Amino acid sequence: MLSSFNIKKKARFFCTKYSLIYRFFCRSEPLVYIDVLEQTTVSSKSILLLSPNDYWVMRAKLNVKSEKEAANYGAALFDLSNEYRYEAQRIEKDSYILIAYNPTKLSQRLSVSTAIIKKMTFAQWVFNDQTHPIHLPNGKYLTTLDGIVIEIDGLYLNTNTSIELDTALSYPRTFLRTAPIEKLVSYELSSKTLRNTLIILLILLGNLATITVSSYQESLQLSKEIDTLFSLSKIPETSIEREAILDSLKKKEKKQLRIRHVSKEISILPIEGKIITPPSALPSLPPVIPTSSDGVVLIPGSKPGEPNRLIVDNTPSIPAIELHGEGIREFSYDGNGIYIVIDAEDANVRNSLKNTIMNRFKHAQVNEHNTQIEVRLK
């Protein structure tokens, strides 16, 4: 696997040797070294180049899959303040170059002219494959030591093969890595950020206006409906009686909904209605010839102790025989609560019904009298 150093070296060789490749693939934006920024004319295509004195750098072995994951380890490896930000560059497998920089301190070095610069880079990313020392305007040199670009005094180097900074910056470069200048000048808002913020604000304002207009139209519609109801009910729009009537109607509606709900719950209770004592056969009526076709006539021949049998409008009538059975005997509502009486001969059935009622109605009062269950619901 080729390292980034070898890739950049081969790319530079092809760019220098073949002009066609240089024309289409090796052209790069002008680099502006930060130490000579004040004496250099910059444009929107310029890239700000930070010197080794503007950041910390180290090489580390990290078992991670991406440069972004490696940058997350920067805070632990450098142990600097919370103001620092971190960048990572893969050199070899599990080997990374980590850079730590302080945006606040660096922004103090920049002039107003950097507002038009969109990108920045580090000397580590640009000169890590440079084999000759680079002579800086301050008299010192940039050189590479163990893959790390440092700034050092010329007394410690062989400066015979050194090149000037302008020459080094003019070399064609491929795969030049950069970072947005917003990471450095955090206190300045870019035009893109302002434009996106304005678009978002306009969208929010449009949504708010739409909601406001919709709410206003709905309120007007409700107001018209209320006026129509007032006109149909012939109730004054402002009166104590109107408020009392509306409150009474609301209470009645609430009670009706309560009764409907309870009735529905009772209808699904496991109560099985059945007749225990069937009606006995009635004795046959003797033929009777009424003396009159109007009114109520006693049937002649009735014996003491027998139920009175009458003829009403020439039709015999027999008193109803009381039947005994199981099921709901009584269901009544007194305006405040519901009263229910349930007949059940079997004790197990009664116990099951009581448990079901208590589980379904939290405030139910359940009493048992012989074979009857009395339930009061509030």
Side-chain angles (χ1 to χ4, degrees):
M1 180 177 180
L2 292 175
S3 65
S4 62
F5 175 81
N6 292 329
I7 293 175
K8 292 178 68 177
K9 186 175 181 181
K10 290 181 179 296
R12 177 177 295 181
F13 169 77
F14 282 107
C15 287
T16 306
K17 188 174 182 62
Y18 303 101
S19 60
L20 186 63
I21 294 178
Y22 172 77
R23 180 178 179 182
F24 291 99
F25 300 101
C26 304
R27 298 180 64 182
S28 61
E29 297 85 352
L31 293 172
V32 181
Y33 199 66
I34 190 172
D35 290 341
V36 294
L37 182 62
E38 297 293 340
Q39 296 81 27
T40 307
T41 302
V42 298
S43 66
S44 59
K45 294 183 179 180
S46 301
I47 299 177
L48 182 65
L49 177 59
L50 301 178
S51 72
N53 296 327
D54 295 322
Y55 55 87
W56 296 92
V57 62
M58 72 163 56
R59 185 167 182 167
K61 287 280 188 179
L62 297 173
N63 186 17
V64 293
K65 297 181 180 179
S66 65
E67 295 177 345
K68 184 177 180 180
E69 292 183 53
N72 294 334
Y73 287 89
L77 295 175
F78 284 99
D79 194 19
L80 299 172
S81 65
N82 294 332
E83 297 179 354
Y84 279 81
R85 296 181 183 176
Y86 305 93
E87 299 286 344
Q89 181 184 21
R90 187 194 298 270
I91 303 301
E92 297 174 352
K93 183 180 180 181
D94 297 338
S95 180
Y96 294 86
I97 294 291
L98 299 179
I99 295 177
Y101 63 97
N102 190 327
T104 304
K105 291 183 178 180
L106 287 176
S107 62
Q108 297 173 358
R109 296 189 57 191
L110 304 181
S111 62
V112 180
S113 62
T114 57
I116 62 176
I117 298 179
K118 306 300 181 183
K119 300 177 182 179
M120 70 174 184
T121 187
F122 300 91
Q124 177 64 40
W125 292 351
V126 177
F127 301 129
N128 63 338
D129 61 341
Q130 185 62 250
T131 57
H132 301 287
I134 301 173
H135 187 213
L136 300 176
N138 60 4
K140 295 186 178 182
Y141 293 82
L142 292 180
T143 187
T144 303
L145 180 63
D146 294 334
I148 296 177
V149 177
I150 61 174
E151 184 176 318
I152 194 172
D153 195 280
L155 297 176
Y156 305 98
L157 296 173
N158 180 11
T159 60
N160 294 330
T161 59
S162 64
I163 60 176
E164 295 298 324
L165 177 63
D166 294 340
T167 304
L169 295 179
S170 64
Y171 283 167
R173 289 180 172 81
T174 57
F175 313 111
L176 179 61
R177 181 171 180 176
T178 61
I181 197 67
E182 286 83 359
K183 289 188 175 182
L184 187 59
V185 193
S186 57
Y187 61 88
E188 292 185 0
L189 293 176
S190 64
S191 58
K192 182 178 179 181
T193 302
L194 291 176
R195 183 172 62 255
N196 292 339
T197 304
L198 180 60
I199 292 174
I200 293 173
L201 290 177
L202 289 176
I203 293 174
L204 293 177
L205 182 61
N207 290 338
L208 180 61
T210 303
I211 294 173
T212 303
V213 172
S214 177
S215 300
Y216 178 72
Q217 292 176 348
E218 290 180 0
S219 63
L220 288 180
Q221 182 66 24
L222 290 176
S223 178
K224 291 180 181 178
E225 292 179 359
I226 292 174
D227 293 339
T228 303
L229 289 176
F230 285 155
S231 62
L232 293 176
S233 60
K234 298 180 181 180
I235 298 177
E237 293 186 3
T238 55
S239 64
I240 299 177
E241 290 80 3
R242 179 176 65 83
E243 298 295 335
I245 292 173
L246 290 177
D247 185 62
S248 175
L249 291 175
K250 289 179 181 179
K251 290 181 179 179
K252 288 181 179 180
E253 183 181 9
K254 186 176 181 180
K255 289 182 179 180
Q256 289 177 358
L257 290 175
R258 169 65 177 166
I259 295 174
R260 291 177 184 177
H261 175 72
V262 172
S263 301
K264 180 181 178 182
E265 294 293 329
I266 292 174
S267 66
I268 60 178
L269 288 175
I271 301 174
E272 182 180 357
K274 53 186 177 180
I275 298 174
I276 296 178
T277 306
S280 58
L282 295 176
S284 59
L285 296 176
V288 177
I289 301 175
T291 58
S292 173
S293 60
D294 298 329
V296 178
V297 180
L298 292 174
I299 298 176
S302 297
K303 297 180 180 180
E306 293 182 351
N308 292 327
R309 290 180 288 182
L310 309 178
I311 292 180
V312 180
D313 294 333
N314 294 328
T315 303
S317 176
I318 302 174
I321 298 176
E322 183 177 359
L323 303 177
H324 297 283
E326 292 185 352
I328 297 178
R329 174 179 291 273
E330 182 178 349
F331 183 94
S332 61
Y333 175 69
D334 60 2
N336 295 318
I338 298 174
Y339 178 71
I340 308 169
V341 178
I342 304 173
D343 282 334
E345 295 288 339
D346 192 341
N348 294 329
V349 174
R350 291 196 299 274
N351 291 332
S352 177
L353 283 175
K354 286 194 296 182
N355 293 333
T356 304
I357 293 171
M358 292 298 294
N359 292 332
R360 190 160 295 177
F361 305 101
K362 300 299 181 182
H363 303 286
Q365 296 180 359
V366 181
N367 297 316
E368 183 178 353
H369 298 286
N370 297 328
T371 61
Q372 292 183 341
I373 301 174
E374 294 184 355
V375 182
R376 296 184 183 273
L377 303 176
K378 295 183 179 180

